[in-house]
Amino acid sequence: MGDYVGYHGIHVALGYPQCASIEWNPVTPRADRVRVQASTCGCSQVIYEYCSAGGLFFVRRHDRTGDRMSVMESDWLIRRLTESLWLRILNGEAR
């Protein structure tokens, strides 16, 4: 086994000046269960989760800046489109 001491998790790259803006929606319970496929490191104030439920995929955004936790979601899409969105977020190309 590898030595993972000090590994926090995936960190989002700094955003580009002209990064795309994502339309975040309020969380709407649409499925009995949501499976988190991947997530960014919890050491940041904003955490992203790549999720699946009911055959669709989406990204959840947890924002801990300020007094309250704000949780929003991207549109629920097919896997290919959500994977693209997830990678754009990780690479700092979309926020």
Side-chain angles (χ1 to χ4, degrees), residues 45-60:
Q45 290 185 338
V46 178
I47 302 165
Y48 296 93
E49 295 176 331
Y50 175 67
C51 303
S52 65
L56 294 173
F57 297 80
F58 58 98
V59 177
R60 232 183 231 161

Side-chain angles (χ1 to χ4, degrees), residues 8-71:
H8 294 291
I10 300 169
H11 284 232
V12 176
L14 296 176
Y16 292 103
Q18 292 88 17
C19 71
S21 181
I22 300 168
E23 183 176 333
W24 296 104
N25 308 305
V27 174
T28 304
R30 295 175 53 180
D32 292 336
R33 287 181 264 186
V34 171
R35 182 170 181 199
V36 176
Q37 305 284 330
S39 64
T40 60
C41 185
C43 72
S44 300
Q45 290 185 338
V46 178
I47 302 165
Y48 296 93
E49 295 176 331
Y50 175 67
C51 303
S52 65
L56 294 173
F57 297 80
F58 58 98
V59 177
R60 232 183 231 161
R61 181 181 190 272
H62 301 261
D63 187 348
R64 299 183 292 188
T65 57
D67 296 339
R68 299 178 71 188
M69 166 94 73
S70 168
V71 182

